[in-house]
Amino acid sequence: MSRKILVVDDTKNVQVMISDFLSGQDFEVLTASNGREALDVVHQREPDLILLDIMMPTMDGYQFISQLRRESGIPVIMITARQQEADIIHGFDLGADDYITKPFRLRELLVRMRAVLRRVGTREECKPELIVGDISLDFDKHEVKKRGQTIDLTPLEFQVLAMLMQARGKVIRRADLAIGLMENGYAGSESTLKIHIRNLRLKLDDDLDQPRYIETVFGIGYRFLEAAE
């Protein structure tokens, strides 16, 4: 059965360009021109992946992701002309899985789509709970707690934290973390990684000058402190 892809963009020629390309790759393509239309399609057709423009009338991409994440975990790839870090951070904070900036090559979009779909379609093996100091990470529940209080992480932040905690006390190179993200179907650039590390520190209430959890090893990478407590 063909995977259903929802293309959300208010520019008709972009809809047509992406739809024609993906149809030729054996995907079933659905379209919407704004976030409100896209929510209707999600409720009626349950797509496997959403390609989402950000700047749209009626309901923009950020509003759409915020609403979507209240009811669904359908993966979302942002397609945006915005390249400012703050815009990208905002999208990830709301729960986007990846992003690609305009103009883009259709083949690159296809690679990113397949990576995200592969991650979503792969059943996770049962793994034990990780506990380091006052931080616990449960793979089955996809849940992180600090001193018993749940911390709300995006899927990408959860993956980064899991890799760091699994290697607690050891330095992980930035490139290795980026590769680990790519292998799990996430955006794997080192610049994107910095965003996730920054967000993790904020959510863990870590101190950049005197870190208790995530330490930067300058010029190399990051380390989750073994005695984090």
Side-chain angles (χ1 to χ4, degrees):
M1 183 179 294
S2 298
R3 294 292 191 97
K4 287 181 285 190
I5 311 299
L6 172 57
V7 179
V8 188
D9 198 299
D10 64 326
T11 305
K12 197 65 179 178
N13 64 349
V14 173
Q15 282 189 21
V16 172
M17 176 186 69
I18 297 176
S19 297
D20 287 350
F21 175 73
L22 294 182
S23 296
Q25 301 295 323
D26 296 323
F27 290 102
E28 179 183 349
V29 184
L30 314 169
T31 60
S33 297
N34 59 61
R36 197 168 301 283
E37 288 183 14
L39 285 174
D40 289 339
V41 175
V42 167
H43 296 151
Q44 295 168 15
R45 302 295 302 278
E46 297 183 0
D48 298 291
L49 174 67
I50 299 171
L51 304 179
L52 179 69
D53 186 28
I54 297 301
M55 301 303 295
M56 296 179 294
T58 307
M59 178 185 282
D60 67 21
Y62 295 135
Q63 293 170 318
F64 170 80
I65 297 175
S66 182
Q67 179 64 39
L68 178 73
R69 285 295 173 255
R70 296 190 185 105
E71 54 189 83
S72 174
I74 297 171
V76 174
I77 297 178
M78 297 181 290
I79 299 178
T80 176
R82 293 185 166 190
Q83 299 187 35
Q84 274 75 20
E85 184 178 278
D87 296 322
I88 297 168
I89 290 172
H90 187 43
F92 281 131
D93 279 344
L94 292 173
D97 295 85
D98 198 352
Y99 77 97
I100 188 169
T101 55
K102 298 177 180 178
F104 56 87
R105 292 174 294 181
L106 289 170
R107 287 289 171 184
E108 180 185 359
L109 176 63
L110 181 62
V111 168
R112 290 177 180 271
M113 288 174 53
R114 285 175 171 167
V116 171
L117 288 168
R118 183 170 60 247
R119 171 182 60 79
V120 172
T122 300
R123 183 174 297 176
E124 290 187 349
E125 298 178 1
C126 291
K127 300 177 182 178
E129 183 181 31
L130 286 174
I131 301 176
V132 182
D134 57 8
I135 304 296
S136 64
L137 184 147
D138 190 312
F139 285 94
D140 270 349
K141 297 179 180 178
H142 214 270
E143 183 179 71
V144 172
K145 291 185 177 181
K146 176 183 175 181
R147 298 173 188 163
Q149 298 296 313
T150 300
I151 298 174
D152 186 20
L153 300 183
T154 68
L156 290 95
E157 292 162 3
F158 183 94
Q159 183 66 31
V160 173
L161 182 60
M163 287 189 287
L164 289 170
M165 289 181 66
Q166 285 171 323
R168 55 190 177 273
K170 300 178 181 178
V171 178
I172 305 183
R173 293 179 177 275
R174 285 189 294 269
D176 291 335
L177 280 169
I179 291 170
L181 286 178
M182 292 178 68
E183 288 175 345
N184 283 278
Y186 296 108
S189 71
E190 291 189 27
S191 59
T192 301
L193 177 64
K194 291 178 181 179
I195 294 172
H196 303 318
I197 293 290
R198 173 184 176 276
N199 287 346
L200 273 173
R201 283 172 165 154
L202 288 172
K203 292 181 179 183
L204 292 173
D205 195 23
D206 208 357
D207 187 327
L208 183 61
D209 296 323
Q210 295 182 315
R212 297 167 52 223
Y213 303 107
I214 300 173
E215 178 184 40
T216 298
V217 181
F218 291 101
I220 301 177
Y222 304 96
R223 171 169 48 212
F224 196 88
L225 298 176
E226 197 162 12
E229 57 185 18

